[in-house]
Amino acid sequence: MRAKTYATTIRVSEGKRDIAPQIQTQHFLGLLLIIGLFSLLQLMSIAIISNTMSQVQRDTTANDRLREQQALLDQARMAAMNASDKLNRAGIYLMVDKETGSVGSWNSLMEEAQVSLKQAQDYYQQIEKPDENDSDSQALLRSYQQLYQGLVELADGIKQSNQIDIFFMVPIQAYQNDFTQKYGHYLANNTARQKQHGEQFLVSLDRTHTHTIFMIVLGLLLAV
């Protein structure tokens, strides 16, 4: 009887020894699966964050470029308007000189106007040329150049003739009105473009389905 009991004990012990390696193997495989899922979650997180940051950088760069170009154009516009004002005042002083017999009271205003014209041209040359498909920006720059050339022609005419007749020959007011109208459209379009870049960023986040992906991977980890 004791021999039989001893034999049974030996068989149970051997069975436990056979089961133990299997349990250890399962635990090891489960651990590897958990590590693999965690690694997958990390890789997916890095990919999502990288894609998001790339989109942020593109949108930020585009908006910075729009603001920079707008600032340059605005500075060119202000310098041109300043030159126009100085030329108008120079014309008034020139008329006063004709009436009073004074000479050269308008010269300083003319010099200031030419300095403003040079500043306007310097700012304009820094503006990037628009794409061929951007007809509104092309029309705006053509209108600016027309205004600028008109002011240059006006300044040269006053200096060469010492007469105010040149004011009636160069339609500066018409050039200013046309440029102001196109500049207003340009500002509206720029604002719309900046808003569009912000909306594209939000759309890109939605398309990645970030929350859904994280929830699925976390669900798998919990299941394991």
Side-chain angles (χ1 to χ4, degrees):
M1 186 66 180
R2 290 181 179 179
K4 183 178 181 180
T5 303
Y6 179 73
T8 302
T9 303
I10 292 176
R11 286 196 297 270
V12 171
S13 299
E14 290 177 349
K16 290 182 179 180
R17 285 197 298 270
D18 292 338
I19 294 173
Q22 295 178 4
I23 295 175
Q24 292 177 355
T25 302
Q26 291 176 354
H27 287 171
F28 180 71
L29 291 176
L31 180 62
L32 287 180
L33 180 58
I34 292 175
I35 294 174
L37 287 174
F38 269 118
S39 300
L40 177 62
L41 179 60
Q42 290 288 343
L43 291 174
M44 293 175 67
S45 300
I46 294 173
I48 292 172
I49 293 173
S50 177
N51 180 70
T52 301
M53 293 305 297
S54 297
Q55 183 65 43
V56 170
Q57 185 176 9
R58 286 194 296 269
D59 292 329
T60 301
T61 301
N63 279 339
D64 288 345
R65 178 176 172 273
L66 289 174
R67 284 191 289 267
E68 179 183 356
Q69 295 302 302
Q70 180 176 326
L72 288 171
L73 184 58
D74 193 48
Q75 289 172 320
R77 180 185 66 87
M78 292 175 63
M81 295 298 103
N82 192 27
S84 177
D85 178 65
K86 296 285 178 56
L87 289 175
N88 288 333
R89 291 169 59 191
I92 294 173
Y93 275 65
L94 179 58
M95 286 192 298
V96 172
D97 283 356
K98 296 295 183 182
E99 295 293 331
T100 62
S102 301
V103 177
S105 62
W106 53 274
N107 288 344
S108 60
L109 286 170
M110 176 61 68
E111 292 175 357
E112 293 176 6
Q114 290 184 313
V115 170
S116 295
L117 285 173
K118 185 179 185 307
Q119 291 175 343
Q121 186 65 4
D122 290 341
Y123 288 129
Y124 175 79
Q125 289 176 347
Q126 298 179 55
I127 297 175
E128 296 180 5
K129 297 301 179 287
D131 297 334
E132 295 181 356
N133 297 328
D134 193 352
S135 58
D136 290 339
S137 295
Q138 289 183 347
L140 173 67
L141 294 184
R142 284 196 299 268
S143 179
Y144 171 82
Q145 278 291 76
Q146 189 177 42
L147 172 61
Y148 174 80
Q149 295 298 334
L151 291 172
V152 171
E153 182 180 354
L154 182 60
D156 291 342
I158 295 174
K159 289 174 60 178
Q160 292 173 6
S161 66
N162 287 348
Q163 301 293 330
I164 63 170
D165 294 343
I166 187 66
F167 281 93
F168 303 100
M169 299 172 61
V170 181
I172 293 297
Q173 190 60 48
Y175 294 157
Q176 287 183 357
N177 292 340
D178 182 68
F179 175 72
T180 299
Q181 181 181 10
K182 288 182 171 59
Y183 186 72
H185 290 309
Y186 167 79
L187 292 179
N189 290 336
N190 243 20
T191 301
R193 289 172 182 173
Q194 292 180 24
K195 182 179 179 181
Q196 181 182 11
H197 287 308
E199 292 175 347
Q200 285 176 347
F201 168 65
L202 296 178
V203 170
S204 67
L205 287 180
D206 183 64
R207 285 177 179 174
T208 58
H209 303 291
T210 309
H211 295 89
T212 303
I213 294 173
F214 280 128
M215 292 301 294
I216 291 174
V217 176
L218 289 175
L220 292 174
L221 288 173
L222 290 174
V224 173

